[in-house]
């Protein structure tokens, strides 16, 4: 067990080095004139020269790499061209809004995926199953930016049920910042009106963002459950006359958890991609909208910092999931 | 039943008839294919193959709602949206095809070499693969496109770079079991070089697997390409690319819904066709798998 942990951590460190090398190559080696890119599209020759000097771009490549790693370790990702602030400050500021959106959408997606995936597996090849399979294929095929736009048109503009953009109504004073989550902070402040406002603003973007997660999870839960339901221990459970709840939830679903959790870790990449589009359409003040803005204004420092930070998070999440199950499932260590 | 065998025996009709999902997928795919071929012919012989010229500006007809003359309406410069949406099909399809060809060629090569050679070659190649997999697809593609300046060519290249590692992993795991088969050892004994074994013995066996995986991925690739164009990387206006068209529709909401609705419909239907065919192919080739799960 300890050896496995050590080996898994060592691979992660190796991958971290690889990720740093790849972003370094992207940021400093491949562009013909990296200083030009880093200084931004509107910089003049002197500013470009200053950037060149400051970034040590006249040094040899290995020296530049060490300097790059040194800067990254200190959290120095340079200045954003559009906000004129250190990129890290921007990321820290915009992160909680994205986390709130992503977690809420995960909650919706996971619930939908598990409930309908289980039902579809129990009633395999029936009409419920067929509907579910088609809906999940649809969920994986709809472009998120398009769904976001149509949902906004329908529910906000035409029906007027939900607000069309942002985290709070314009002019509303945000609650004192405790967790950075609007729905929790407003509750902590005891302001129910603000809580309702925050929740209604959150629903539409979160539901749209949850679609691919729900679709992916539906397929995984359904397929895994189908495999489990044909196992002997389920037959035994049925023969003992256990209630359907005990058979399906306690016996079957529990065994379907590990592969689905791995899938959720891999799904993080999709969620971040989806958040970029959803935040852009719903003007959600998070990291996704910041990324979209950085891309459209060629804010190179910001793009590179986000690429690096998001990949590191992605790697750590998957590491945590792997390690968690080795702790939970004794069979894995035996391999 | 192998895929190649199925195609040889003209079993496509049989495949489509197996389930209503397969039929729907094949139907949409056929429609998109016909439109795209028409587009290719139109491009080669330089004539307007859509109802109207997708680039023709007509300011007197700007921002018209759908009507008989313009079933999908017109955009802010009076261009016919139906023609633009149709013209988007060959563009999206050719980007998707190019990305998949690039990704499968790199991925298959890396996967076969790593799996077959084993040892430090395998270890090195797979660690490199892992590094690429550590990046969320859209973010890496955006960073690569931004580095080279976002054009259709750089975006296509970027997506190829993003998608190859998945094929490398898939192929490698299959090769690991193939290479222990007796016929591979027999071929070696006959004096075949390692290179020959990889091309003649192993490649034909992994090929169907790659084709099925590529079909399931086609929708995702197409959506990613459109997404990058939507963010301003990739196709640039006035190119009638679906993602770019939805982006330019943003400033005209909420009053001009047709500007976004129809290009997105093209995108969604095409991606759906690929997903359904991919699912169907997997069931068809591997009935035991019960249904499609993402491997």
């Amino acid at each position: 067990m300890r050896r496995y942990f050590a080996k898994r951590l060592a691979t992660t460190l190796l991958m971290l080095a690889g990720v740093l090398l790849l972003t370094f190559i992207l940021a400093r080696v491949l562009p013909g004139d990296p200083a030009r890119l880093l200084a931004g599209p509107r910089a003049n020759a002197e500013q470009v020269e200053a950037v060149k000097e400051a970034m040590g771009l006249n040094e040899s490549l290995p020296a530049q790499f060490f300097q790059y790693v040194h800067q990254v370790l200190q959290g120095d990702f340079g200045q954003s061209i559009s906000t004129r602030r250190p990129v890290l400050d921007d990321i820290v500021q915009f992160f909680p809004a994205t986390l709130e959106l992503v977690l809420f959408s995960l909650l919706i997606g996971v619930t939908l995926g598990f409930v309908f995936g289980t039902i579809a597996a129990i009633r395999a090849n029936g009409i419920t199953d067929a509907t579910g399979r088609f809906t999940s294929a649809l969920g994986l095929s709809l472009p998120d930016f398009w769904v976001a736009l149509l949902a906004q048109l329908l529910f906000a503009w035409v029906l007027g049920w939900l607000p069309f953009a942002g985290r709070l109504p314009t002019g509303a004073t945000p609650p004192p910042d405790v967790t950075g989550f609007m729905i929790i902070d407003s509750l902590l402040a005891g302001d129910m009106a603000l809580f309702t406002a925050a929740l209604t603003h959150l629903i539409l973007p979160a539901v749209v963002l949850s679609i691919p997660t729900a679709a992916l999870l539906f397929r995984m839960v359904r397929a895994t459950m189908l495999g489990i339901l044909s196992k002997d221990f389920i037959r035994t459970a049925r023969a003992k006359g256990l209630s359907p709840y005990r058979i399906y939830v306690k016996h079957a679903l529990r065994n379907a958890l590990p592969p689905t959790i791995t899938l959720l870790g891999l799904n993080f990449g999709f969620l971040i991609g989806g958040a970029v589009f959803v935040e852009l359409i719903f003007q959600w003040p998070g990291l996704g909208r910041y990324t979209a803005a950085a891309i459209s204004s060629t804010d190179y420092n910001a793009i590179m910092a986000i690429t690096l930070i998001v990949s590191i998070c992605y790697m750590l999440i998957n590491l945590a999931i792997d390690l968690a199950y080795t702790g939970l499932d004794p069979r894995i260590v035996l391999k | 039943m192998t895929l190649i065998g199925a195609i040889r025996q003209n079993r496509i009709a049989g495949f489509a008839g197996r389930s209503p999902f397969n039929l729907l997928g094949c139907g949409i795919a056929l429609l998109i294919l016909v439109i795209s071929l028409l587009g290719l012919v139109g491009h080669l012989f330089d004539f307007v193959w859509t109802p109207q010229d997708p680039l023709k500006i007509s300011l007197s007809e700007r921002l018209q709602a759908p009507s008989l003359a313009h079933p999908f309406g017109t955009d802010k410069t009076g261009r016919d949206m139906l023609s633009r949406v149709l013209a988007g099909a060959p563009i999206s399809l050719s980007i998707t095809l190019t990305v998949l060809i690039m990704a499968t060629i790199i991925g298959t090569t890396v996967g076969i070499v790593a799996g077959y050679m084993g040892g430090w070659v395998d270890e090195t190649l797979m660690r490199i693969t892992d590094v690429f997999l550590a990046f969320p697809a859209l973010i890496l593609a955006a960073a690569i496109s931004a580095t080279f300046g976002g054009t259709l060519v750089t975006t296509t290249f970027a997506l190829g770079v993003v998608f190859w590692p998945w094929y490398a992993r898939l192929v490698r795991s299959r090769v690991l079991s193939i290479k222990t088969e007796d016929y591979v050892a027999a071929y070696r004994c006959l004096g075949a070089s390692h290179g020959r074994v990889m091309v003649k013995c192993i490649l034909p066996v992994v090929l169907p697997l790659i084709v099925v995986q590529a079909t399931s991925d086609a929708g995702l690739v197409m959506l990613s390409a459109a997404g990058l164009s939507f963010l301003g990387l990739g196709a640039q206006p006035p190119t009638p690319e679906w993602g770019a068209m939805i982006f330019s529709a943003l400033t005209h909401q909420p009053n001009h819904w047709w500007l976004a609705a129809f290009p997105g419909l093209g995108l969604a239907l095409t991606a759906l066709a690929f997903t359904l065919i991919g699912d169907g192919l997997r069931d068809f080739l591997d009935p035991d798998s019960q249904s499609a799960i993402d491997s």
Side-chain angles (χ1 to χ4, degrees):
Chain A
M1 180 92 127
R2 201 163 280 165
R3 259 189 71 189
Y4 173 81
F5 275 28
K7 201 181 156 202
R8 190 69 180 75
L9 283 176
T11 352
T12 307
L13 278 180
L14 197 68
M15 268 171 72
L16 192 63
V19 166
L20 277 169
L21 186 64
L22 192 60
T23 40
F24 169 74
I25 292 173
L26 270 180
R28 306 284 164 82
V29 184
L30 287 180
D33 190 354
R36 177 86 251 166
L37 271 173
L38 294 170
R42 278 184 294 275
N44 59 32
E46 279 160 39
Q47 284 167 317
V48 172
E49 197 50 48
V51 167
K52 210 170 196 167
E53 199 54 50
M55 307 298 283
L57 289 172
N58 300 320
E59 310 272 330
S60 71
L61 279 180
Q64 278 188 46
F65 180 62
F66 281 112
Q67 199 195 350
Y68 173 75
V69 174
H70 187 71
Q71 284 171 344
V72 166
L73 288 179
Q74 289 181 322
D76 175 12
F77 294 96
Q79 217 184 36
S80 157
I81 296 157
S82 32
T83 60
R84 298 266 159 218
R85 304 194 315 160
V87 173
L88 193 66
D89 291 3
D90 282 349
I91 292 179
V92 169
Q93 185 196 331
F94 291 122
F95 180 70
T98 296
L99 194 64
E100 183 178 34
L101 178 63
V102 165
L103 286 181
F104 202 68
S105 85
L106 262 180
L107 187 73
I108 300 171
V110 169
T111 312
L112 288 176
F114 265 103
V115 170
F116 288 101
T118 312
I119 295 177
I122 295 172
R123 303 197 178 154
N125 299 319
I127 184 90
T128 327
D129 184 26
T131 316
R133 282 170 63 188
F134 184 74
T135 315
S136 79
L138 203 62
L140 289 179
S141 312
L142 298 176
D144 359 27
F145 46 94
W146 184 62
V147 179
L149 197 59
L150 292 191
Q152 191 184 44
L153 277 176
L154 180 64
F155 293 106
W157 291 110
V158 178
L159 299 172
W161 291 350
L162 291 162
F164 78 95
R167 276 181 104 182
L168 284 178
T170 24
T173 329
D177 189 5
V178 185
T179 55
F181 287 15
M182 218 49 105
I183 47 174
I184 297 179
D185 286 354
S186 58
L187 274 186
L188 288 178
D191 189 340
M192 279 319 281
L194 204 59
F195 170 75
T196 319
L199 192 65
T200 48
H201 277 82
L202 182 59
I203 288 174
L204 208 47
V207 168
V208 172
L209 187 57
S210 75
I211 294 174
T213 311
L216 212 58
L217 215 65
F218 168 84
R219 293 170 156 229
M220 191 66 174
V221 170
R222 177 183 174 276
T224 322
M225 283 291 275
L226 275 177
I228 293 172
L229 289 179
S230 64
K231 290 270 165 61
D232 288 344
F233 74 94
I234 294 293
R235 205 180 46 185
T236 311
R238 285 208 176 104
K240 284 197 303 192
L242 293 186
S243 69
Y245 169 79
R246 284 195 74 96
I247 298 173
Y248 296 127
V249 180
K250 290 267 172 171
H251 281 66
L253 206 55
R254 217 165 149 180
N255 279 287
L257 277 179
T260 29
I261 294 175
T262 313
L263 185 76
L264 272 183
L266 295 172
N267 180 48
F268 173 77
F270 280 110
L271 265 180
I272 293 297
V276 173
F277 299 123
V278 170
E279 289 187 8
L280 179 65
I281 303 260
F282 288 103
Q283 294 164 39
W284 190 262
L287 211 49
R289 195 174 70 149
Y290 181 68
T291 309
I295 290 172
S296 57
S297 61
T298 347
D299 192 341
Y300 206 64
N301 279 332
I303 297 175
M304 282 303 150
I306 292 164
T307 309
L308 189 64
I309 293 175
V310 168
S311 330
I312 292 174
C313 291
Y314 188 33
M315 249 163 54
L316 293 181
I317 288 176
N318 287 306
L319 173 74
I321 289 175
D322 273 10
L323 293 184
Y325 307 157
T326 334
L328 293 176
D329 186 347
R331 281 171 307 181
I332 292 176
V333 190
L334 296 176
K335 280 184 193 163
Chain B
M1 168 76 52
T2 66
L3 183 68
I4 311 289
I7 292 168
R8 246 184 230 141
Q9 293 166 28
N10 198 11
R11 298 287 283 273
I12 296 175
F15 168 74
R18 262 172 62 101
S19 88
F21 296 163
N22 292 0
L23 190 65
L24 181 65
C26 288
I28 303 172
L30 191 69
L31 183 71
I32 304 289
L33 201 66
V34 169
I35 297 173
S36 299
L37 286 178
L38 206 63
L40 182 70
V41 174
H43 182 74
L44 287 178
F45 296 100
D46 200 24
F47 65 88
V48 176
W49 56 280
T50 46
Q52 294 177 30
D53 185 343
L55 297 178
K56 198 191 84 194
I57 291 171
S58 167
L59 290 174
S60 60
E61 295 179 293
R62 63 193 300 269
L63 292 172
Q64 284 184 7
S67 63
L68 276 179
H70 301 284
F72 288 2
T74 58
D75 72 1
K76 63 176 176 214
T77 51
R79 292 176 293 216
D80 179 44
M81 283 301 285
L82 174 63
S83 306
R84 287 179 68 74
V85 171
L86 288 174
I91 297 178
S92 276
L93 210 60
S94 54
I95 301 172
T96 309
L97 211 60
T98 317
V99 170
L100 286 174
I101 289 174
M102 186 178 153
T104 48
I105 289 180
I106 305 175
T108 310
T109 313
V110 171
I112 291 183
V113 171
Y116 181 75
M117 300 304 277
W120 65 269
V121 178
D122 183 24
E123 197 60 32
T124 315
L125 286 176
M126 290 331 282
R127 288 297 84 77
I128 294 174
T129 309
D130 283 346
V131 168
F132 279 90
L133 284 174
F135 293 91
L138 184 96
I139 303 287
L140 180 60
I144 298 174
S145 313
T147 302
F148 293 105
T151 63
L152 210 50
V153 178
T154 52
T155 302
T156 309
F157 167 78
L159 286 171
V161 172
V162 167
F163 279 98
W164 73 263
W166 300 95
Y167 294 95
R169 268 206 174 171
L170 180 74
V171 169
R172 175 182 171 273
S173 66
R174 189 76 185 85
V175 170
L176 285 180
S177 65
I178 297 173
K179 74 170 178 182
T180 58
E181 299 272 346
D182 288 340
Y183 72 92
V184 176
Y187 203 64
R188 266 299 277 165
C189 288
L190 286 173
S193 65
H194 286 307
R196 211 177 151 76
V197 171
M198 286 191 256
V199 176
K200 291 271 174 179
C201 259
I202 293 179
L203 184 63
V205 185
V206 292
L207 211 53
L209 186 73
I210 300 166
V211 173
V212 173
Q213 188 60 42
T215 315
S216 318
D217 290 346
L220 183 62
V221 171
M222 184 175 275
L223 293 182
S224 311
L228 288 174
S229 291
F230 175 79
L231 292 176
L233 302 163
Q236 301 297 328
T239 314
E241 198 276 341
W242 290 331
M245 284 159 78
I246 298 175
F247 177 73
S248 37
L250 279 188
T251 46
H252 298 282
Q253 302 311 323
N255 297 320
H256 306 94
W257 57 271
W258 59 91
L259 294 178
F262 293 114
L265 196 63
L267 200 53
L269 280 179
T270 317
L272 179 66
F274 284 127
T275 312
L276 290 177
I277 295 176
D279 286 358
L281 273 182
R282 244 179 254 197
D283 282 351
F284 190 49
L285 299 174
D286 181 16
D288 297 336
S289 77
Q290 285 284 353
S291 165
I293 53 165
D294 290 294
S295 50

